[in-house]
Amino acid sequence: MGRPAQERARHPADPERSIAALVSRLRKDLSTEVDGLDAALRSDPPVSIRINPRKWRYGPLADPVPWCENGRYLAQRPAFTFDPLLHAGAYYVQEAASMLVEQAVRASGLIGERIIALDLCAAPGGKSTHLRDLLHPDALLVCNEVNGERRSVLKENLWKWGAANVMITGTAPERFGRLTDLFDLVMVDAPCSGEGMVRKDPHALQQWSPSLVEQCATVQRDVLKHAWNCLRPGGFLIYSTCTWELGENEARLRELVDEGGIVIPIPAGGAHGALATDHLGINALRCYPHRLRGEGFVLALVRKAGTREAVNGQPVATPRDLVTELGWLRATRNWMAIQQGDELYAIDGSWARTVDALQRSITVVSPGIPLAERKAGNWRPHAALALAQDLDMERQPTVDLDLDRAIELLRGQSIGAKDASGIALATYRGIPLSWLQGAGTRWNNRWPSHWRIRSARPSAPPVSWST
Ligand code: SAM
């Protein structure tokens, strides 16, 4: 009998794509790390999540990730797919080392400011949801992804996270490069050879090869050039990868320094295992799985020379805007409705001119909070509006579902009822999940069909949160 699939993936037949080959390549530049690394890459990865504090105020009583306020380690990997709280955007399953981005954002000093930020390589949305929570609520975050399939996942994750002042775009970095000096903060979580993920994702090891490292370096150089162009003088660029290669990290950052960029050291913020390193004269934080409870990750912060001027958002006069008339959102800001095709979105009126300018120059997939969708000529609340953090729950009748009913809903089934009529909001543990449409003896389901759970219940333990 052959070895189990996971075992085979960890020790693939092609010797170039093995942990041994990877470690021997790293020995040249990172000799002090490789022995510990070799053993760690053959052990099991930790499991961690980041809580959405605006949906799930306290989250589980689990082991905190010291460098991320809302990060938690879990003792084992549960069957996340069968946890309605995951679908409600109450938390995001994220690798712990990558949560160190929080320390880079803090080191930039931009957290309290009303800025324009760009996450240039955003799918599936781990850094975007994290950035959105860290930045000032009035800041605008543009989340971009070039790959169409991955962009759908990004949209799903961001809509479920439910925050305001988030635009989703799908444009090549080159077009952003033409928006000279626009963003105060640009995050480039670059496509990379993925060395740091080989323990967590067997596919990463199968894909890895020295030539992939070279190809990635070429893409990274190009992406960084455009990211740098759209950064304002005095603005900050956060660069990260999940690979240890100098050619995909410090060598690429060196090129920004040659353009006048100033590298800012990032304090590790309680991440005692994260190494503050200086390769090729570039200060970075490097994470190795034998030193820190997480996967491989490299992170750096670079400031563009010059003085940053405050962004001026001019509110657009909206005396009786449609958003107010519809009454679905809390009056937390000066909402303004904009229509894109058969969908209506709510945006913060103070960003209206910026959103308009971006719509003219790049491909905008979602300019704000999805508010309504047109079906058979009529506007009805958008499925993603149910998941918006600013939804006015006081104005909606709610139906709190138990676990089995919530799973039925997530599978696209109707929910049995007595005298169900009108529209109601389905919640799970008090957290909104989906619209329901009353039809007498049942609630019809408005959960989007492409978000449905299609798999059979697995043997992994169910999620049991003790909060
Ligand atoms: N930031 C994401 C997160 O935290 O969930 C992960 C981003 S992943 C490491 C890199 C992303 O870059 C992928 O989604 C990939 O589709 C995208 N990408 C690939 N080639 C690219 C290119 N030439 N320009 C911009 N993005 C690219």
Side-chain angles (χ1 to χ4, degrees):
M1 219 169 80
R3 286 172 292 162
Q6 203 178 359
E7 175 79 355
R8 274 200 307 276
R10 282 195 180 155
H11 305 280
D14 181 350
E16 199 185 52
R17 295 159 201 266
S18 67
I19 286 176
L22 178 59
V23 169
S24 93
R25 179 186 163 93
L26 293 171
R27 192 173 292 282
K28 183 163 75 68
D29 293 323
L30 306 163
S31 56
T32 53
E33 299 305 324
V34 289
D35 291 334
L37 185 61
D38 194 355
L41 288 180
R42 296 167 201 274
S43 65
D44 286 329
V47 182
S48 47
I49 61 167
R50 192 168 37 73
I51 292 160
N52 184 340
R54 291 184 183 85
K55 290 202 174 189
W56 197 15
R57 191 159 301 173
Y58 301 109
L61 288 175
D63 206 358
V65 175
W67 49 91
C68 173
E69 193 181 346
N70 296 310
R72 304 283 185 276
Y73 288 108
L74 306 183
Q76 57 185 329
R77 189 174 190 88
F80 284 120
T81 308
F82 287 84
D83 181 16
L85 289 182
L86 176 73
H87 300 267
Y91 64 92
Y92 190 95
V93 182
Q94 190 178 21
E95 187 285 302
S98 63
M99 297 180 197
L100 263 171
V101 162
E102 182 160 321
Q103 300 307 322
V105 181
R106 290 192 189 287
S108 76
L110 293 176
I111 278 189
E113 293 192 34
R114 185 183 177 282
I115 59 165
I116 311 184
L118 168 66
D119 185 358
L120 188 55
C121 311
K127 313 287 182 309
S128 292
T129 50
H130 197 179
L131 280 174
R132 184 56 282 176
D133 286 353
L134 290 167
L135 297 179
H136 192 283
D138 292 343
L140 178 68
L141 176 63
V142 178
C143 304
N144 183 69
E145 172 57 45
V146 279
N147 177 303
E149 255 176 62
R150 292 180 63 92
R151 192 160 59 239
S152 300
V153 179
L154 175 70
K155 191 164 78 167
E156 175 178 341
N157 286 333
L158 283 169
W159 281 1
K160 287 178 173 175
W161 206 252
N165 285 342
V166 173
M167 284 181 83
I168 305 170
T169 63
T171 293
E174 194 212 338
R175 299 243 314 267
F176 277 99
R178 289 188 225 143
L179 304 173
T180 322
D181 301 349
L182 178 66
F183 297 98
D184 302 278
L185 176 68
V186 178
M187 169 93 224
V188 177
D189 186 30
C192 73
S193 60
E195 291 172 356
M197 285 295 149
V198 300
R199 171 170 79 157
K200 190 165 167 265
D201 175 11
H203 184 63
L205 187 56
Q206 282 164 341
Q207 277 196 326
W208 181 85
S209 69
S211 61
L212 179 64
V213 174
E214 304 307 321
Q215 286 165 33
C216 289
T218 306
V219 173
Q220 289 150 359
R221 177 182 288 124
D222 187 59
V223 172
L224 273 175
K225 182 178 83 183
H226 301 306
W228 195 247
N229 280 346
C230 66
L231 188 66
R232 308 170 89 199
F236 291 83
L237 184 141
I238 300 175
Y239 183 73
S240 64
T241 69
C242 53
T243 190
W244 296 292
E245 297 287 333
L246 301 191
E248 295 188 61
N249 293 297
E250 287 83 352
R252 301 286 63 81
L253 294 162
R254 187 75 245 163
E255 289 163 354
L256 298 187
V257 172
D258 293 343
E259 293 283 318
I262 302 137
V263 177
I264 313 288
I266 306 167
H272 300 300
L275 300 181
T277 53
D278 178 350
H279 294 287
L280 312 178
I282 302 292
N283 293 117
L285 280 184
R286 288 184 151 256
C287 303
Y288 296 93
H290 57 292
R291 294 193 174 271
L292 175 133
R293 236 172 123 193
E295 304 311 297
F297 192 60
V298 179
L299 178 69
L301 177 67
V302 189
R303 189 166 72 80
K304 198 173 194 175
T307 309
R308 213 172 44 82
E309 308 207 339
V311 184
N312 272 327
Q314 295 125 335
V316 171
T318 51
R320 264 189 77 74
D321 188 76
L322 192 56
V323 184
T324 318
E325 265 173 46
L326 289 171
W328 287 327
L329 295 182
R330 285 180 288 121
T332 44
R333 49 185 73 246
N334 177 25
W335 297 114
M336 199 185 136
I338 48 173
Q339 189 177 341
Q340 197 169 282
D342 279 337
E343 291 181 328
L344 201 61
Y345 293 84
I347 62 161
D348 183 326
S350 66
W351 287 117
R353 289 201 169 88
T354 308
V355 170
D356 185 53
L358 288 172
Q359 279 179 316
R360 287 166 205 270
S361 47
I362 55 175
T363 307
V364 175
V365 176
S366 168
I369 298 176
L371 199 61
E373 51 195 343
R374 190 159 42 196
K375 285 278 163 200
N378 296 317
W379 290 106
R380 62 178 199 179
H382 198 290
L385 173 68
L387 296 150
Q389 293 173 11
D390 287 294
L391 178 72
D392 189 351
M393 280 184 71
E394 304 292 309
R395 314 257 306 239
Q396 331 291 337
T398 55
V399 178
D400 200 50
L401 305 177
D402 63 16
L403 178 62
D404 288 340
R405 298 293 87 68
I407 298 291
E408 282 173 18
L409 178 127
L410 295 169
R411 283 190 178 286
Q413 294 161 9
S414 57
I415 310 289
K418 288 184 200 155
D419 303 327
S421 67
I423 289 180
L425 183 66
T427 59
Y428 175 72
R429 297 179 62 162
I431 300 180
L433 200 51
S434 173
W435 299 115
L436 299 170
Q437 180 74 53
T441 55
R442 62 175 197 278
W443 288 107
N444 283 339
N445 190 323
R446 291 269 321 272
W447 187 248
S449 60
H450 50 287
W451 291 359
R452 280 180 196 163
I453 300 177
R454 295 180 195 279
S455 49
R457 277 212 197 197
S459 51
V463 175
S464 158
W465 304 114
S466 48
T467 51

